[in-house]
Amino acid sequence: MKIELNDVGYSYQTGHHALEHINLSFEGNQSVAIIGQNGAGKTTLAKQLNGILRPTQGTLKIDGIEISGRTTSEWSKRVGYVFQNPDDQLFLETVREEFAFGPRNIGMDEETIERCIAKVAALTGLQDKLDVHPADLSPTEKKFCGIGAVVMMDPDAVVFDEPTCGQDYAGDVRLHDLIAELKREGKMRIAISHDMKFVVANFDRVVVMCQGKVLVDGTPEEVFSQVDVLRKSYVTPPPITRVAQGVGLKETVFIVPQFVEKLEDACSAQNS
Amino acid sequence: MKTVVEVEHYSFIYQDAKVPAIKDVSFTVREGEFVCIVGANGAGKTTLCNALVGLIPHYFTGETEGSVRINGADTADASVADLSNYIGLVFQNPFNQLTYASGTVAEELAYGLGNRGVSRDEMRRRVKLVSQLMHIEDLLDRDPLELSGGQVQRVAFGSTFILEPNILVLDECTTQLDPLGASEIFDIVKQLNASGVTVIMVDHDMERVAQYADTVVVMDHGQISLTGTPREVFSASDINRYGIDTPDYVKLSKGLDRRGLGDGELAMTYEQTVAMAKEVIDR
Ligand SMILES: Nc1ncnc2c1ncn2[C@@H]1O[C@H](COP(=O)(O)OP(=O)(O)OP(=O)(O)O)[C@@H](O)[C@H]1O
Ligand SMILES: Nc1ncnc2c1ncn2[C@@H]1O[C@H](COP(=O)(O)OP(=O)(O)OP(=O)(O)O)[C@@H](O)[C@H]1O
Ligand SMILES: [Mg+2]
Ligand SMILES: [Mg+2]
């Protein structure tokens, strides 16, 4: 699958220009993190990808076909969007109904739906909560319920909006496993996040947005080495990367063992 | 130093719940202390915050045992409005904190000042100050319903801040903020703390907890299972079993120790970690 945005702009009815001249393309089973300051337009961009919002300028194509020609529900089989605020997404009486709603709408048979519910409940850790009202879930369970409802549709791409928000350690691990499962299934993963540890641990490409435009687009190494550019969009590298930069290490490191190794190298270079 | 928060054998069970959300919790907070409450999802952190500011028992129904005292006053006897003169809460979910009764962000910020007999001029002064601190000056005339997630969280934070409480309770208050914005806000909180404001903060970001806390309180299944300085808490070998990760600073210290490159000390802050790494390079 290929998603192409060509000179996309978006203005809200208030006249506020949230996106301007966006040129991006996402392909195949890429994993992409979208980061950047509050109000940069990340959520607005994500909502274009599955047709909740339509560009007010430029074009958005999926596999070469323009979005204007399709309905939102048709679109949702291709690209699923998990809302930043689950209260905006969930509206049914039980988790089970939330999970079954989309598939039923596109005519999936009940047997398949049941099988998918079991699988998705396990992935999201909601096995024991299927008959609970979403309003009675904890904040992070709600988020996983929103994720589950999207994954149930088996879309080619899943777009997560701030998925780690409020998650504890176990929640972070569960999310990591879920994203790895989507990768195994060959799906495109796109996430909007302010959690830089999560970004570098799960994504191969990083798009930085600033004031409705794309500021930088590259690998995590390329992006997080440009500290001054990042500052423009109120982003800082993950903690351990900052420490490595603080001691003047040339390479960009993202995880502790990698940094320990570099320090060991530097130490033995000094002593030889 | 004066004790400003006293929680004694406090338990709370939500109406219709099978198990108590907090069980026999006791702790005290000194004036000017920076306390971080950590623990797994569902451990009872938000429930405890709600009890500190009097939302429990005044808004949530359920059964309580024991007592919570703020500046000596039992929260069961004081009204939430009275308590809000001393203690302010920034909600975990900012969308629940805003009143949405106001048409603009400026009105939303000033809302809590309305029934405090604050003069118009003083109101304007504080709205200006807080909106500058939160970087929302450009949003003052906007409708709170038409903001991004992080913008809503900034407004929510500002609406507590503007009341200038002596005790600030922050329940995961920067989860939707951009990284630099979050660290700017913590710098402000730290400055306030240095000038005597007591801070009680819930957070899942362990580097931040290690950086700022005087005292870390670990909650597990409604109880306090561990209390101590960041160094004491993050040295505990079984810390992961309470659903929390070790800060990367500590992981690095231990990693260096294992290679014989460390000095046996655990770094707790960014600055300490940089110094530790520099020492290795310069050795
Ligand atoms: N419904 C709306 N009506 C009018 N303007 C809006 C609406 N929703 C968002 N905006 C504005 O559009 C801009 C982009 O918002 P968006 O939600 O896309 O930002 P974001 O990058 O996702 O930010 P955050 O990190 O805070 O979630 C912001 O200035 C915001 O105030
Ligand atoms: N309004 C409520 N009614 C009934 N039970 C509740 C309510 N709010 C919370 N609980 C339950 O009380 C327990 C403690 O929840 P609490 O929200 O205090 O946890 P937390 O530590 O803040 O978790 P998180 O990290 O997810 O924010 C949980 O079992 C939760 O399901
Ligand atoms: Mg957003
Ligand atoms: Mg909570």
Side-chain angles (χ1 to χ4, degrees), chain A residues 180-214:
Chain A
E181 171 63 21
L182 296 178
K183 179 179 181 178
R184 258 193 301 280
E185 293 173 6
K187 297 189 188 305
M188 184 188 291
R189 292 92 55 212
I190 299 178
I192 294 169
S193 185
H194 293 301
D195 179 346
M196 297 305 134
K197 268 189 179 177
F198 167 73
V199 166
V200 298
N202 293 280
F203 301 92
D204 303 326
R205 175 178 166 196
V206 179
V207 175
V208 188
M209 292 191 65
C210 179
Q211 299 184 341
K213 299 192 184 76
V214 173

Side-chain angles (χ1 to χ4, degrees), chain A residues 14 36-38 40 61 71 79 94 108 112 116 124 126 131 141-142 147 156 158 171 200 204 222 252 257 264 268:
Chain A
T14 55
Q37 72 193 130
N38 292 134
K61 290 180 184 167
T71 64
V79 185
T94 64
M108 200 188 279
T112 315
C116 290
T124 52
L126 294 172
D131 298 312
E141 288 167 347
K142 265 190 205 170
I147 292 173
D156 300 324
V158 179
V200 298
D204 303 326
E222 287 161 359
T252 306
E264 200 170 26
S268 47

Side-chain angles (χ1 to χ4, degrees), chain A residues 14 16 36-40 43 84-85 87-88 138-140 142 162 165-171 194-197 230-231 233-236 239-240 242-243 245-247 249 254 256-257 259-261 263-264 266-267 270-271, chain B residues 39-42 92-93 95-96 135 142 146 148-151 154 172 175-181 183-184 204-207 240 243-249 251-252 255-256 259 261 270 273-275 277-278 280-283:
Chain A
T14 55
H16 188 85
Q37 72 193 130
N38 292 134
T43 297
Q84 182 164 3
N85 180 5
D87 292 332
D88 293 339
S138 77
T140 49
K142 265 190 205 170
E162 302 290 353
C165 180
Q167 301 291 350
D168 63 6
Y169 182 48
H194 293 301
D195 179 346
M196 297 305 134
K197 268 189 179 177
L230 286 176
R231 282 187 90 83
S233 193
Y234 275 75
V235 174
T236 50
I240 211 68
R242 288 183 52 226
V243 172
Q245 290 167 344
V247 298
L249 193 78
F254 294 124
V256 172
F259 190 27
V260 171
E261 229 161 76
L263 286 173
E264 200 170 26
C267 185
Q270 279 273 329
N271 294 335
Chain B
N41 291 140
Q92 178 165 7
N93 183 347
F95 302 101
N96 291 346
H135 292 308
R142 296 267 295 269
E146 290 165 351
S148 77
Q151 289 168 337
R154 284 166 190 269
E172 303 193 36
T175 49
Q176 322 225 17
L177 292 199
D178 49 53
L180 206 53
S183 75
E184 279 179 2
H204 289 292
D205 180 337
M206 294 306 143
E207 285 81 20
N240 297 117
I244 54 184
D245 200 3
T246 317
D248 274 356
Y249 305 147
K251 286 184 187 160
L252 182 73
L256 290 174
R259 304 278 178 113
L261 296 169
Y270 168 79
T273 316
V274 168
K278 272 215 174 93
V280 173
I281 292 176
D282 295 341
R283 190 166 311 157

